[in-house]
Amino acid sequence: MQKAEKMKELRVFAQEIRVEALKTIGSLGFGHVGGSMSVVEALAVLYGSVMKVDPKNPRWEDRDWCVMSKGHAGPAMYATLGLKGFYPLEQAYTLNQPHTNFPSHTDRTKTPGVDLTTGSLGQGMSTATGAALANKVDGRTNHVFVFVGDGECDEGQVWEAAQFAAHYKLDNLVCFVDSNKRQLDGSVDDIMSHGKGIGAKFDAFGWNVIDVADGNDVEQVYDAVEAAYQVTGKPTCIVLNTIKGKGCTFAEPSGAHSSQPSKEQWDEAIAFAEAELAKVKAQ
Ligand SMILES: Cc1ncc(C[n+]2csc(CCOP(=O)(O)OP(=O)(O)O)c2C)c(N)n1
């Protein structure tokens, strides 16, 4: 397939994920829209092109792993995995309701395709690093991808894992930092600045670092993953400069962490995202 054709396919997939994630959160009426919307393009690249997974055998031993350490972006994962065929999409419309298999934060014991349980910020970075080491020890050639938030990077645990991954030369580990510049109750710079930048920190910890100017552009994300695959002897950090709430009519302007809009606002947001999907398909 030509690259242009593949990129179009990924743009369509990304927008399908956006629509589905909105419907999933909309089924409950409130939730983490902001941080789900910002990672949509990276998830589309991973599950649409890069990762080896088998929806019929979610625990296939040679699969690539994806850990949503910023576990509150669960709905974006559920939309992605549903579209990939791990389960019927409508199942996720039970988001966070009693006895659901789709809790607001990702849980490996409940949802097919979720590789590790997350929600307590920082922990997913550690467990993903452990998974990368274990896969290497077992002689596998697969990759482990992990998403951390730029606010999440305030957790000391992220940096213990970063130091560990560099020491053990985990070149099968790729960490996406979702640098949407906002965390729960304000901007990252106001709450806990990353000084010279998050990439400079990972560099200081011995990682290969790739900065993606627009982390909501599938082609830029795809090129970054391709470049990461060429690097041996160290893990790669891909800093995605993204927009919190990207593509959601009520969440992008506010940059809100969680949202509880009115029924009318939900309808407008989903209709807008669906219209965007139609446009991308027609391009
Ligand atoms: C250990 C821990 N402390 C606090 C929280 C509460 N919390 C949930 S999301 C969040 C902000 C995270 O910001 P960021 O990582 O930037 O997420 P994003 O903007 O990408 O959604 C906080 C403080 C948590 N889940 N875990």
Side-chain angles (χ1 to χ4, degrees):
M1 191 191 289
Q2 295 294 313
K3 189 173 178 193
E5 209 181 321
K6 185 188 279 188
M7 293 307 121
K8 178 180 169 187
E9 208 176 270
L10 292 180
R11 272 195 295 279
V12 169
F13 187 34
Q15 195 57 24
E16 284 174 345
I17 296 171
R18 182 163 280 118
V19 168
E20 270 311 311
L22 287 174
K23 286 185 180 172
T24 300
I25 306 173
S27 70
L28 186 64
F30 60 92
H32 296 102
V33 177
S36 295
M37 294 296 106
S38 50
V39 292
V40 155
E41 280 73 18
L43 284 170
V45 169
L46 289 185
Y47 284 91
S49 168
V50 173
M51 287 174 61
K52 288 175 285 152
V53 291
D54 180 359
K56 296 204 167 42
N57 183 11
R59 292 279 158 86
W60 173 41
E61 290 201 335
D62 289 324
R63 73 188 183 282
D64 292 315
W65 292 47
C66 180
V67 181
M68 187 55 72
S69 188
K70 39 168 273 181
H72 52 282
M77 282 296 289
Y78 303 151
T80 307
L81 294 169
L83 286 161
K84 231 9 224 180
F86 281 82
Y87 40 75
L89 286 167
E90 309 73 54
Q91 283 189 9
Y93 300 169
T94 57
L95 181 73
N96 222 21
Q97 287 167 25
H99 312 298
T100 183
N101 285 324
F102 300 85
S104 60
H105 297 61
T106 44
D107 184 335
R108 73 186 290 280
T109 67
K110 295 196 184 301
T111 317
V114 168
D115 288 314
L116 287 171
T117 300
T118 55
S120 185
L121 296 172
Q123 291 186 357
M125 178 71 177
S126 289
T127 53
T129 301
L133 178 65
N135 277 303
K136 237 183 201 295
V137 168
D138 286 349
R140 296 196 188 98
T141 56
N142 58 354
H143 281 77
V144 175
F145 298 92
V146 56
F147 284 84
V148 297
D150 48 4
E152 179 175 8
C153 289
D154 292 352
E155 293 287 345
Q157 186 168 4
V158 168
W159 302 105
E160 290 183 57
Q163 186 166 339
F164 180 97
H167 178 81
Y168 286 100
K169 301 183 175 27
L170 299 182
D171 47 16
N172 59 340
L173 178 67
V174 177
C175 172
F176 288 104
V177 178
D178 181 15
S179 183
N180 60 29
K181 321 291 183 299
R182 297 190 65 80
Q183 48 171 290
L184 192 149
D185 47 8
S187 86
V188 167
D189 275 348
D190 286 345
I191 291 166
M192 188 82 78
S193 156
H194 287 300
K196 289 181 181 160
I198 204 82
K201 285 188 172 167
F202 273 91
D203 179 63
F205 274 77
W207 286 53
N208 173 49
V209 176
I210 300 170
D211 196 67
V212 174
D214 183 355
N216 294 119
D217 179 307
V218 290
E219 186 160 1
Q220 291 184 35
V221 179
Y222 177 85
D223 289 346
V225 177
E226 287 269 284
Y229 270 34
Q230 306 308 314
V231 174
T232 54
K234 41 165 86 173
T236 290
C237 167
I238 299 178
V239 181
L240 301 170
N241 290 287
T242 59
I243 293 175
K244 198 153 178 167
K246 176 75 180 173
C248 172
T249 47
F250 58 78
E252 184 173 335
S254 68
H257 185 69
S258 46
S259 314
Q260 186 163 13
S262 65
K263 165 98 174 60
E264 291 69 33
Q265 285 174 305
W266 273 117
D267 291 346
E268 185 195 8
I270 291 168
F272 177 80
E274 283 178 332
E276 288 298 301
L277 174 59
K279 273 194 217 161
V280 182
K281 281 184 175 167
Q283 273 165 11

